[in-house]
Amino acid sequence: ASWLPQGLTQEWSLNHLQLGGQFWLSWADGALQRAVTQVKVARLEGQYAERKPASLTDMQLNSYFGRDAEGLQAQLANFSARAGEQQIGPMNLTLRQHAKRGDAAGFWTLSFDRLQVAPLLPLVESLAPIPDKGLSALATLNPRGALTNATVGFHPDAEGDKRVQFATNTDAISFSVYD
């Protein structure tokens, strides 16, 4: 999209966007305090660099954003879409920024209830800034199944393996043989 700053989009292209929805915003103290949205996207198409474009259709989501003394919270509720013939969702996702309190460092958490892996492969192939060898390996592995009750924690001030933490349940996760 030519109206977006080049620094924001880098090598990503937004080829088509057709959406409608409702937005409610609350602004105070020079910042967004709360936002609620209901969005329906008929079609969203984009790509990274010169890759084949990926499309999402029939996308629906309700979202909430809030700011308080604890930090920031963004929620996507009942997110669903179609990627080609495959259904994504419905799923619920929460991103939370936990503010620094006293000597305790601030951190981020991302959690979601259920994520089917297979429908994401064409989106990753089209949109992720992954080298061609990595994309080839991913296509060969052909991941399937679902991640459930997942939480990812990011602690920017921590070092080593304490910086990122991940916990999830799996449901019929499988991979093909990699040669």
Side-chain angles (χ1 to χ4, degrees):
S2 59
W3 51 271
L4 289 172
Q6 180 64 31
L8 178 65
T9 61
Q10 297 179 9
E11 293 187 61
W12 282 282
S13 299
L14 177 62
N15 304 335
H16 186 93
L17 177 61
Q18 182 180 353
L19 68 90
Q22 301 177 53
F23 299 84
W24 296 271
L25 305 173
S26 174
W27 190 276
D29 301 323
L32 180 65
Q33 299 298 313
R34 282 182 300 285
V36 178
T37 67
Q38 293 179 332
V39 179
K40 293 187 179 193
V41 178
R43 184 170 157 227
L44 171 65
E45 181 180 288
Q47 68 199 61
Y48 179 76
E50 299 300 319
R51 297 196 183 138
K52 178 182 171 188
S55 290
L56 289 176
T57 58
D58 302 325
M59 184 168 40
Q60 297 183 38
L61 66 94
N62 298 319
S63 68
Y64 167 81
F65 169 83
R67 177 190 311 267
D68 58 27
E70 302 286 319
L72 307 174
Q73 180 171 322
Q75 295 176 311
L76 293 179
N78 299 318
F79 172 81
S80 65
R82 293 196 66 72
E85 297 298 317
Q86 298 197 33
Q87 180 70 32
I88 299 173
M91 67 178 278
N92 299 302
L93 180 138
T94 301
L95 175 65
R96 177 123 183 119
Q97 180 248 351
H98 305 267
K100 182 177 180 176
R101 300 177 87 186
D103 291 339
F107 65 98
W108 292 83
T109 56
L110 172 69
S111 60
F112 54 87
D113 58 353
R114 183 171 187 81
L115 180 63
Q116 290 287 352
V117 176
L120 300 180
L121 189 56
L123 298 175
V124 170
E125 289 172 341
S126 293
L127 299 170
I130 298 174
D132 290 341
K133 285 185 178 183
L135 290 175
S136 177
L138 188 59
T140 301
L141 290 171
N142 190 25
R144 298 168 298 282
L147 302 175
T148 60
N149 304 320
T151 301
V152 179
F154 176 64
H155 301 260
D157 296 335
E159 294 183 18
D161 62 355
K162 304 274 189 251
R163 193 169 182 140
V164 177
Q165 299 172 338
F166 180 80
T168 189
N169 297 326
T170 59
D171 182 10
I173 290 288
S174 63
F175 298 92
S176 298
V177 176
Y178 181 73
D179 292 325

